[in-house]
Amino acid sequence: MSSKPEFVHLHNHSEYSLLDGILRFSDHDGKPSELIKSLAKEGARGFAVTDHGNMYGAMECYSQCSKEGLKPVIGSEFYIVKGSRLDRGHPQRENRHVVCLAKDYAGYQNLMALSSAGFLEGFYYDPRIDREILARHSKGLVILSGCVKSEVCQAVLAGDMAGAETLAASYRDLAEPGCFFLEMMDHGIEDEKRANAGLMEIHRRTGIPLVATNDCHYARKSDQEAHDARLCISTGALLADGERLRFAGPEFYVKSPAEMAGLFESAPEAVANTVRIAEMCNLQIPKGKFILPEFAVPEGMTQGSYLERLAREGLRRRFPDGPSPAHHGRLAYELSVIQKKGFAGYFLVVWDFIAYARREGIPVGPGRGSGAGSLVAYALDITNLDPLEHKLLFERFLNPDRPTMPDLDIDFADTDRDRIIEYVRGKYGASNVAQIISFSSMGAKGVIRDVGRVMGISLPEVDRIAKMVPGGPDVTLYGAIQKNPDLPKAAQDPQIKKLLDLSLKLEGLKRHTTVHAAGTVITKEPVVRYSPLARNPRSDVVTTQYDGDVLPALGLLKVDFLGLRTLTIIQNTVRSIRTRKDPAFDIEGIPMDDPKTYELLRRGESLAVFQLDSSGMRTLLQQLKPTVFNDIVAILALYRPGPMKAGMVDMFVERKHGRSKVSYDHPLLQPVLQDTYGCIVFQEQVMEISKELAGFTGGQADTLRKAMGKKTPEDFEKMRPDFVSGAAKNKIPPKLANKIYDHLLEFGGYGFNRSHTAAYGLLAYQTAYLKANHALEFMCAVATSEIGHSVVGSDDKENKLAVYLEDGRRTGLKILPPDVQRSGAEFTIENPDAIRFGLVAVKNVGLGAAEAVVGARSQGPFKGLADFCSRVDLKAANKKAIESLIRAGALDALDPGKPPAAARARLLASLEETADRQAREREDLARGQATLFAMDCLSCDAGGASLQDAAPWSSNDVLRSEKEMLGFYFSGHPLLEVRAQLQAPRTHDIAALSPQVTTPVRLAGLLAQVKRKITKKGEQMAEAVLEDLTGSIRLLVFPRAYSGTHHAPGIGDKLQAGAVVVASGRLSFSKSGSDEAEGGPELFVDDVSPLAEALPRYARKLVIAAPMASLDDKALRALRDVLESHRGRCPVELEHRTTQGVSVLEVETRVLIDQNLLESLDSMFGEKSWRIESAS
Amino acid sequence: MADRKRILVADDDPDLVDLLKMDLANQGYEVLVAMNGKEALQMAMGEKIDLVLLDVMMPYIDGYHVAYEVTSKLGSGAPMIMLMTSRDTAREKGIAIMSGAAEVLQKPFEMDALHRKLAEIFAKT
């Protein structure tokens, strides 16, 4: 017996206890965490994971502990209900806890079954099991009675000792013999002491063994505050809140064996039993073996020979004139690697569902990820690029030296993706297919915001600190503190120091679960045999509990089925080209050197072109001026933060245009790098260089590529000697070889996957080609695809549909308004050359409503509103939908001869009554009581004759309704009307804002979106978007400005969407836009006032410039009367323009400028007869 | 004509003032006199006057301003203003009207022309 006490922690909540755990198994680099390493060093005999109700962290615990030689004990602290898990009656607080640990693989299987049942059968607030299912799955499990919230302890605390004993006995009886333990905890809580006394009593009476645990939620005592902050973050509370969920004391950390032995001095066997239990648990999870689903092959064939036959047939089909020897050689090589590694089944599975998609006419992408590097995949139609032609490498896809599963990600048209998943379910069995969970974690910026919030630090202050952290996926807070001296400086403030300290401790912790957008796992036996399942409460989708990194490591087949909208767009465009122009049009057959396409790209007119849509990309296109397909592929690879920061984009552009010289360190580099002007743009080039110069194998080359991508110098340096000695064989002197290797290190790390880029470049080219040659068909398909993605009238999203349609208009496409006499449900092409708005694109109009309208119209055009209401099914198209259509202008044609402002007012005024009448008639008809009315209807409704009269809308109302219903101002822009008035109060146009503008600014425009928020302190604030005629900007109205102080009233109620206002404040340029919407400027608003109020404040002079001819005495007197009725403080000048020149009259009257005055001037002298001058 | 119309003559040229005073009195008007802008403004605001015959170029306050103050302050109760100016431009006329003058009289003028204009104006009221 050793003198040092031994103890194994069997009750631990990792970060996967998303509510309150902050224990980590891994550090930021994915290596075993400090905790795991130190436990291993101290010789701990094991460590358990028992997260609340789930097993999310089981595999991470298993692999990290195993790496350190620490025994992982896999378990879960389940929620258990008194009655049946299927019963949803009990309140959440009556859920009890019980801990289960897996002794062996059978126990692990049972643990997964229980955990899955908790989510799939018993979910009610929490995933719950019951004793019935526990009994069925108790084989191979050690069961601990659980914390003070267990059934047994609760009975003890309720004073029901007899009941507690019965319960304990029932658990003992359902567990395997000797596998149930009474769990004692001591965190200095009174209830626990009482419970422990009861547990000891039961132990004495029944002999059920005891076990001591600590309810560990964090590693060290000093982490208590960070833990408390996490709790506040997940419950939305403030640290300072008096009444909130909090832990009783600082004792929930991973205590040393000595501490635990001290705590349970009176029950040493409970401490000793932890070691016994750890010894009972010897789980081995098989890894490294691939478990592919069964794929039936024709009789007499193996999976390997079948794949080979398919591949060879496919290759001949791809190359009707006979494949080249290079192709034959490559195919044979690839097949041999695939065979050797046992992946034939994998290819067959993928080939099968892609063949299904092609049979069904579901568009499939040309490839994504590294898969395009495989000729076998090309021959099987899995990808659509010849890898030899595009210099794509097989090893980038499947490294013969590494035992990892290849990763074939497939794009399908977004609208049809679910059909593929359904097919796969049908083929392999529903229980053998599941979607994959994904965990989001607290990023460097996000954690500062979260912690700042629970600490109650003001939002602008938190924002200031968060902005010191650069954006991007690999940024850590620790790294940012090293790099940006502003952060340590800010931390001189003790509150900020605490903010950073807590944030550092919480950074990277898992926060939410989501369903992975595309990942699907297909298994041989039901998924639950390999991974526990969960049900995502938000989307009701069944997912694995292990994420997409864990599943392949378990040898499972994971396929990413991605939905790609571009494929739908291409398909729809091709369809309409075929019906309208060219029945034989084939997107696969378009020339890859089409001049119009490259001209379009060189002009940067690539809005809506796949991957080239962003404004940065459009600018880059104008600089690079692409002339060949390779330029497009390169641009996709270069337009990323790393290469851009490293100056690679500029280098590429300069070299392409011959403004700087292209040189090669060695002639062998030229063939590899010449199509990128000597720049290393692709990972494949790094691999080629190592193969060509240093004789690396494909596998070695890929290992080098991986080391470079990770930017770990150690791994990279490890391969340097091989490179230099290999190069020596090619007579490359060591000095030059080292130089080239350094060069690889410098630029190769930024290299991008050429296979992926080439495949996506093809889609980019295809969409650009369609836009350049078939703009009408293309933009129509684009617009339709935006329906449902661009949220009309949404508060917080840029409306892409509006952007595309505006672009279409600018480039000469005719966009016609929605019209119930002409529109289809979706956008349609109206001959000869216009795009007609689809009815579904109108807000509040669903597909059902749109189809009801289109269907009713098939019997002939509507004669009027009554006819419309009588023929359209008013259940499918309800009043709200029709009202929206009216407001969008879609019913204008039903009041012929009236201008829109009048027609819409009259239609809307008549709708209620007309619709009700028609509904009644329908009912009567249905009851067989055709009334005179119904007989009448066909004649009653000629045009707008029967419509009620109503005052026409103002042009502003017309526009506002259009904006609300269509997402943008269709027939004009409201700011156009007040354009001149905006000039006076504003200091800058929005487009003219730049980081050089450091003084406060005043901007004038339209409040397009207003989003009100409540801060965690309960204060109101708002985010808004202000548009002028040059651009738009995000406004932030912080609580001080929103609600006001005792010096100044708040401006919150002046923030009304659709209002024309003047906003003043300071600009903020966030350095990068990772969690900001865009990297552009924001205005921190001090003041907002309606234009009408702001105008007199900032106007210095009203100048009326009327032509001489219109200024007779009468006009002058009328002008005087108008001015006199708007007396104020603003001077007025009359510019008298004659043929001799301009003379200026200073008018005695001073005026208050308002809309009414300006409208009067408009009506007297015409628009633009006046202007307002401002002081600054 | 039941009441005699009261006319205020405002000009800093004493000869012209004398001439107008005599002539208008002969025409049956009651005539008051101001010799500068300040006086003219005070009298126009304070007295009950039907018409001001107002010179533009005067000391202290020019005729335009007098016209503007009187018409804008008194509104519909203001006397009618006939501005006399020697500059005949559209610009002058514009300013005059914008200042509230009902008529502009080009200097120099014939007395007959003045009589006709006055008769026209008073006939309308």
Side-chain angles (χ1 to χ4, degrees):
Chain A
M1 214 175 140
S2 90
S3 58
K4 247 173 75 181
E6 281 199 288
F7 180 84
V8 177
H9 280 284
L10 297 173
H11 192 129
N12 305 309
H13 292 284
S14 77
E15 56 178 312
Y16 291 97
S17 289
L18 299 172
L19 173 74
D20 57 6
I22 65 168
L23 281 181
R24 299 177 200 245
F25 299 117
S26 313
D27 65 12
H28 286 301
D29 301 325
K31 304 218 169 84
S33 64
E34 285 304 316
L35 172 69
I36 298 299
K37 281 195 276 193
S38 71
L39 283 169
K41 221 170 88 191
E42 288 156 15
R45 305 275 289 272
F47 189 71
V49 54
T50 58
D51 284 314
H52 291 299
N54 71 59
M55 294 176 64
Y56 298 149
M59 286 311 299
E60 190 178 323
C61 172
Y62 183 86
S63 60
Q64 299 296 32
C65 288
S66 302
K67 276 185 211 164
E68 293 296 316
L70 179 67
K71 180 193 274 184
V73 178
I74 303 304
S76 183
E77 182 174 30
F78 290 113
Y79 297 94
I80 189 161
V81 281
K82 237 185 258 165
S84 163
R85 66 187 183 279
L86 307 173
D87 181 2
R88 309 266 130 117
H90 306 285
Q92 185 185 12
R93 64 175 188 286
E94 283 181 17
N95 288 346
R96 300 292 173 240
H97 297 189
V98 64
V99 173
C100 296
L101 306 169
K103 287 196 293 182
D104 49 25
Y105 196 63
Y108 173 65
Q109 297 274 322
N110 278 324
L111 202 59
M112 292 196 289
L114 287 169
S115 187
S116 306
F119 276 98
L120 304 187
E121 298 170 5
F123 198 93
Y124 184 63
Y125 294 105
D126 295 311
R128 310 168 311 166
I129 59 167
D130 55 23
R131 262 180 280 154
E132 180 267 322
I133 194 169
L134 181 58
R136 273 196 283 136
H137 290 281
S138 62
K139 190 169 174 295
L141 292 181
V142 172
I143 301 173
L144 316 186
S145 63
C147 62
V148 72
K149 278 187 138 184
S150 66
E151 284 190 281
V152 179
C153 288
Q154 288 295 311
V156 170
L157 291 175
D160 179 13
M161 277 305 292
E165 191 177 324
T166 314
L167 272 168
S170 81
Y171 274 111
R172 177 196 57 201
D173 295 344
L174 66 80
E176 286 189 305
C179 288
F180 176 66
F181 292 79
L182 294 167
E183 189 174 357
M184 303 209 296
M185 288 185 169
D186 186 355
H187 307 92
I189 301 168
E190 198 46 46
D191 275 359
E192 288 175 341
K193 288 198 173 45
R194 284 172 49 213
N196 287 348
L199 294 173
M200 304 260 287
E201 172 69 20
I202 296 170
H203 164 64
R204 272 193 294 278
R205 294 167 61 97
T206 62
I208 298 174
L210 297 168
V211 65
T213 66
N214 202 59
D215 196 1
C216 302
H217 283 74
Y218 38 93
R220 281 183 301 263
K221 201 167 189 170
S222 55
D223 295 336
Q224 189 217 351
E225 197 168 15
H227 171 256
D228 207 22
R230 155 95 178 213
L231 197 60
C232 286
I233 291 170
S234 23
T235 54
L238 287 176
L239 280 167
D241 279 352
E243 285 179 33
R244 64 166 167 89
L245 183 62
R246 64 168 85 222
F247 275 44
E251 303 297 327
F252 298 85
Y253 62 99
V254 181
K255 293 180 175 169
S256 71
E259 282 175 286
M260 291 306 292
L263 271 175
F264 291 94
E265 228 170 10
S266 57
E269 77 272 28
V271 174
N273 277 345
T274 62
V275 182
R276 231 183 83 209
I277 292 172
E279 279 167 357
M280 289 160 72
C281 294
N282 294 293
L283 170 65
Q284 294 290 327
I285 299 174
K287 276 188 170 184
K289 225 178 68 193
F290 298 111
I291 312 160
L292 299 173
E294 299 285 357
F295 188 89
V297 296
E299 252 194 64
M301 299 196 86
T302 63
Q303 292 195 335
S305 61
Y306 188 48
L307 177 70
E308 181 164 350
R309 194 179 87 191
L310 290 171
R312 295 205 184 280
E313 282 171 7
L315 195 67
R316 274 196 298 279
R317 208 177 43 251
R318 285 287 190 186
F319 299 96
D321 305 334
S324 71
H327 283 100
H328 278 303
R330 170 83 167 252
L331 194 77
Y333 164 69
E334 288 191 14
L335 283 170
S336 76
V337 175
I338 293 166
Q339 298 270 24
K340 203 172 69 201
K341 302 194 59 107
F343 291 143
Y346 177 99
F347 274 81
L348 290 172
V349 169
V350 176
W351 164 78
D352 174 69
F353 63 70
I354 288 190
Y356 165 79
R358 297 202 194 270
R359 277 198 307 277
E360 292 288 306
I362 297 170
V364 184
R368 69 175 285 142
S370 51
S374 163
L375 184 62
V376 171
Y378 180 60
L380 294 179
D381 283 353
I382 292 172
T383 57
N384 222 350
L385 261 83
D386 176 3
L388 273 72
E389 182 191 335
H390 293 279
K391 301 188 179 177
L392 311 180
L393 301 183
F394 180 64
E395 291 83 3
R396 177 67 185 80
F397 168 60
L398 219 179
N399 184 338
D401 299 353
R402 273 190 296 125
T404 44
M405 191 80 117
D407 198 3
L408 273 173
D409 303 339
I410 318 290
D411 289 317
F412 293 102
D414 60 330
T415 45
D416 292 322
R417 193 181 76 108
D418 292 346
R419 288 170 63 195
I420 308 280
I421 296 179
E422 267 322 296
Y423 170 77
V424 171
R425 268 189 223 285
K427 181 152 179 113
Y428 302 98
S431 56
N432 298 38
V433 178
Q435 289 189 254
I436 296 173
I437 203 167
S438 164
F439 300 100
S440 63
S441 33
M442 298 198 215
K445 270 172 192 265
V447 75
I448 289 182
R449 291 184 203 279
D450 279 335
V451 174
R453 176 165 61 66
V454 301
M455 286 178 66
I457 301 175
S458 76
L459 250 157
E461 179 69 354
V462 172
D463 206 60
R464 186 176 72 89
I465 305 294
K467 279 190 175 153
M468 294 178 187
V469 178
D474 297 327
V475 172
T476 65
L477 188 50
Y478 180 76
I481 291 173
Q482 308 295 305
K483 271 185 222 139
N484 186 351
D486 288 351
L487 277 166
K489 212 188 289 165
Q492 285 167 4
D493 175 346
Q495 197 188 27
I496 303 301
K497 181 168 187 322
K498 190 166 155 194
L499 169 68
L500 292 176
D501 285 347
L502 291 177
S503 298
L504 277 168
K505 285 189 173 169
L506 297 181
E507 182 184 12
L509 289 180
K510 302 287 182 284
R511 193 168 171 190
H512 295 297
T513 64
T514 53
V515 182
H516 188 276
T520 305
V521 64
I522 308 172
T523 53
K524 192 168 178 173
E525 292 178 58
V527 181
V528 70
R529 306 281 298 157
Y530 313 99
S531 163
L533 298 173
R535 190 196 300 276
N536 185 281
R538 277 179 298 277
S539 57
D540 212 35
V541 169
V542 175
T543 68
T544 56
Q545 285 191 31
Y546 297 156
D547 73 12
D549 293 331
V550 170
L551 297 169
L554 290 170
L556 299 177
L557 173 74
K558 179 189 83 137
V559 188
D560 281 354
F561 294 111
L562 293 116
L564 191 59
R565 201 136 52 91
T566 299
L567 296 173
T568 313
I569 293 174
I570 293 176
Q571 188 186 38
N572 288 340
T573 310
V574 169
R575 269 191 203 140
S576 69
I577 295 171
R578 283 182 186 161
T579 37
R580 285 169 45 82
K581 301 178 179 164
D582 176 5
F585 182 79
D586 177 13
I587 190 71
E588 309 295 343
I590 59 171
M592 292 304 285
D593 56 356
D594 177 58
K596 277 175 84 176
T597 303
Y598 287 103
E599 277 159 27
L600 174 113
L601 293 176
R602 286 194 290 267
R603 289 194 304 268
E605 288 173 8
S606 54
L607 261 176
V609 172
F610 182 61
Q611 298 260 305
L612 302 176
D613 176 80
S614 71
S615 67
M617 208 39 132
R618 281 177 274 143
T619 313
L620 182 53
L621 283 168
Q622 288 169 350
Q623 291 164 1
L624 178 70
K625 301 196 184 351
T627 50
V628 288
F629 178 64
N630 251 316
D631 289 345
I632 297 172
V633 180
I635 213 172
L636 292 181
L638 290 171
Y639 189 72
R640 290 173 302 120
M644 284 172 60
K645 232 190 271 169
M648 291 170 69
V649 175
D650 298 335
M651 191 197 296
F652 190 90
V653 170
E654 291 303 297
R655 288 185 179 184
K656 171 165 173 72
H657 297 305
R659 292 190 290 257
S660 74
K661 223 182 115 218
V662 182
S663 63
Y664 302 96
D665 289 331
H666 191 277
L668 280 174
L669 290 172
Q670 183 166 0
V672 182
L673 296 179
Q674 68 184 358
D675 60 2
T676 53
Y677 314 102
C679 303
I680 302 173
V681 177
F682 304 111
Q683 293 165 346
E684 280 82 348
Q685 290 175 321
V686 174
M687 293 170 67
E688 285 281 15
I689 289 170
S690 72
K691 283 161 79 178
E692 293 298 318
L693 271 68
F696 276 24
T697 65
Q700 273 179 306
D702 187 57
T703 308
L704 174 72
R705 187 272 308 168
K706 239 187 143 192
M708 224 153 28
K710 280 197 178 153
K711 300 194 179 70
T712 38
E714 312 94 74
D715 291 358
F716 193 76
E717 285 307 320
K718 244 187 267 169
M719 303 190 77
R720 186 188 285 268
D722 293 341
F723 185 88
V724 176
S725 64
K729 287 185 195 126
N730 277 322
K731 302 206 173 56
I732 301 170
K735 203 175 154 194
L736 180 60
N738 272 307
K739 185 184 163 195
I740 293 171
Y741 201 73
D742 288 338
H743 195 67
L744 289 184
L745 182 59
E746 187 182 353
F747 293 106
Y750 298 120
F752 199 63
N753 182 344
R754 187 171 200 158
S755 295
H756 177 75
T757 325
Y760 268 37
L762 183 61
L763 287 179
Y765 181 84
Q766 288 176 346
T767 47
Y769 177 89
L770 293 174
K771 188 175 183 190
N773 292 279
H774 306 280
L776 186 67
E777 291 83 355
F778 177 69
M779 290 311 287
C780 185
V782 167
T784 291
S785 92
E786 283 296 332
I787 296 176
H789 292 272
S790 294
V791 185
V792 173
S794 157
D795 266 355
D796 51 349
K797 272 196 185 147
E798 184 194 23
N799 188 332
K800 273 273 178 190
L801 175 59
V803 173
Y804 292 149
L805 290 178
E806 294 282 3
D807 177 61
R809 261 189 190 178
R810 203 168 38 241
T811 51
L813 292 182
K814 256 186 246 149
I815 313 288
L816 302 171
D819 179 351
V820 291
Q821 303 285 42
R822 293 170 176 277
S823 287
E826 301 182 331
F827 284 83
T828 48
I829 295 175
E830 206 160 294
N831 286 323
D833 59 354
I835 295 176
R836 172 71 72 181
F837 236 92
L839 298 178
V840 182
V842 178
K843 191 179 179 180
N844 303 327
V845 179
L847 191 59
E851 281 172 349
V853 172
V854 175
R857 195 180 64 211
S858 62
Q859 305 142 24
F862 301 110
K863 292 197 212 95
L865 184 63
D867 183 36
F868 180 86
C869 289
S870 87
R871 281 162 56 192
V872 172
D873 177 359
L874 296 181
K875 286 196 194 75
N878 59 21
K879 262 183 245 168
K880 185 160 188 200
I882 300 176
E883 187 186 316
S884 301
L885 287 169
I886 292 174
R887 283 152 56 82
L891 266 65
D892 288 0
L894 301 186
D895 192 5
K898 286 277 187 299
R904 292 175 201 179
R906 283 155 49 91
L907 287 161
L908 208 54
S910 314
L911 174 63
E912 179 88 27
E913 202 197 306
T914 312
D916 285 349
R917 185 160 27 109
Q918 298 304 336
R920 271 200 311 278
E921 278 171 28
R922 277 201 179 206
E923 278 166 25
D924 290 351
L925 265 176
R927 284 198 299 265
Q929 303 172 349
T931 59
L932 278 175
F933 250 141
M935 307 287 286
D936 256 345
C937 184
L938 295 173
S939 57
C940 75
D941 194 23
S946 64
L947 292 176
Q948 290 175 22
D949 267 321
W953 291 355
S954 72
S955 62
N956 240 331
D957 288 340
V958 170
L959 290 173
R960 208 174 305 146
S961 291
E962 286 175 1
K963 166 96 177 177
E964 200 183 324
M965 295 301 138
L966 302 176
F968 67 113
Y969 300 107
F970 195 87
S971 56
H973 194 291
L975 287 181
L976 283 174
E977 294 199 351
V978 292
R979 186 169 61 223
Q981 296 171 62
L982 297 178
Q983 298 303 312
R986 67 118 186 72
T987 57
H988 293 81
D989 282 337
I990 290 174
L993 298 175
S994 73
Q996 280 75 48
V997 180
T998 53
T999 52
V1001 297
R1002 269 197 315 274
L1003 308 172
L1006 183 81
L1007 278 175
Q1009 304 165 3
V1010 177
K1011 217 176 9 169
R1012 287 169 214 278
K1013 295 177 161 184
I1014 304 284
T1015 67
K1016 283 291 158 182
K1017 274 168 132 181
E1019 296 171 321
Q1020 280 192 293
M1021 64 164 292
E1023 275 179 36
V1025 171
L1026 184 77
E1027 291 176 5
D1028 69 10
L1029 289 161
T1030 69
S1032 69
I1033 184 171
R1034 203 162 83 107
L1035 308 185
L1036 286 175
V1037 186
F1038 292 114
R1040 257 177 83 92
Y1042 190 98
S1043 305
T1045 60
H1046 50 277
H1047 300 300
I1051 56 176
D1053 51 348
K1054 294 183 184 162
L1055 298 167
Q1056 300 297 340
V1060 179
V1061 299
V1062 176
S1064 55
R1066 276 184 183 277
L1067 292 178
S1068 156
F1069 283 81
S1070 44
K1071 278 171 196 145
S1072 70
S1074 76
D1075 50 2
E1076 266 71 39
E1078 266 132 52
E1082 296 168 341
L1083 185 74
F1084 290 0
V1085 178
D1086 298 328
D1087 195 16
V1088 161
S1089 38
L1091 182 64
E1093 275 177 35
L1095 206 50
R1097 229 185 293 162
Y1098 300 112
R1100 290 291 171 266
K1101 202 193 285 174
L1102 172 66
V1103 180
I1104 301 165
M1108 177 63 198
S1110 63
L1111 276 184
D1112 56 16
D1113 291 7
K1114 210 173 128 208
L1116 281 169
R1117 289 210 173 84
L1119 174 60
R1120 185 184 138 84
D1121 287 345
V1122 167
L1123 296 180
E1124 279 295 304
S1125 62
H1126 291 89
R1127 289 237 296 259
R1129 286 162 43 204
C1130 180
V1132 182
E1133 274 182 14
L1134 195 55
E1135 264 184 16
H1136 222 162
R1137 272 170 290 162
T1138 67
T1139 42
Q1140 279 87 47
V1142 179
S1143 66
V1144 176
L1145 272 73
E1146 278 169 41
V1147 176
E1148 295 279 353
T1149 318
R1150 290 174 170 239
V1151 292
L1152 174 71
I1153 301 176
D1154 63 15
Q1155 185 63 26
N1156 183 292
L1157 169 61
L1158 299 172
E1159 276 174 13
S1160 301
L1161 294 177
D1162 283 346
S1163 68
M1164 291 169 74
F1165 305 114
E1167 283 176 35
K1168 298 181 196 166
S1169 61
W1170 50 266
R1171 64 174 190 275
I1172 299 164
E1173 291 180 358
S1174 59
S1176 47
Chain B
M1 246 195 297
D3 294 328
R4 287 212 300 165
K5 295 288 180 190
R6 296 182 75 171
I7 295 179
L8 171 65
V9 173
D11 201 309
D12 57 340
D13 174 355
D15 295 342
L16 183 63
V17 169
D18 283 346
L19 175 68
L20 286 171
K21 200 166 129 185
M22 224 164 60
D23 180 72
L24 292 175
N26 282 340
Q27 290 292 315
Y29 298 106
E30 189 181 336
V31 182
L32 291 80
V33 169
M35 297 300 291
N36 60 47
K38 216 153 101 185
E39 262 180 48
L41 185 58
Q42 271 167 4
M43 292 177 73
M45 299 294 288
E47 306 270 335
K48 193 199 160 304
I49 287 171
D50 295 300
L51 185 140
V52 185
L53 199 51
L54 187 62
D55 186 29
V56 171
M57 301 285 281
M58 281 189 301
Y60 305 119
I61 305 175
D62 72 20
Y64 293 136
H65 194 71
V66 173
Y68 178 73
E69 284 291 306
V70 170
T71 51
S72 62
K73 291 239 168 77
L74 299 182
S76 59
M80 245 154 336
I81 308 271
M82 189 183 289
L83 271 169
M84 302 178 289
T85 174
S86 50
R87 281 176 296 188
D88 175 25
T89 61
R91 178 172 180 274
E92 293 301 308
K93 196 172 171 193
I95 298 175
I97 291 175
M98 293 307 294
S99 303
E103 280 291 337
V104 180
L105 194 59
Q106 174 71 38
K107 278 185 181 177
F109 49 84
E110 300 287 328
M111 280 307 181
D112 280 355
L114 175 63
H115 299 157
R116 270 200 310 279
K117 275 207 169 171
L118 287 174
E120 259 171 47
I121 289 172
F122 287 126
K124 271 188 246 166
T125 56

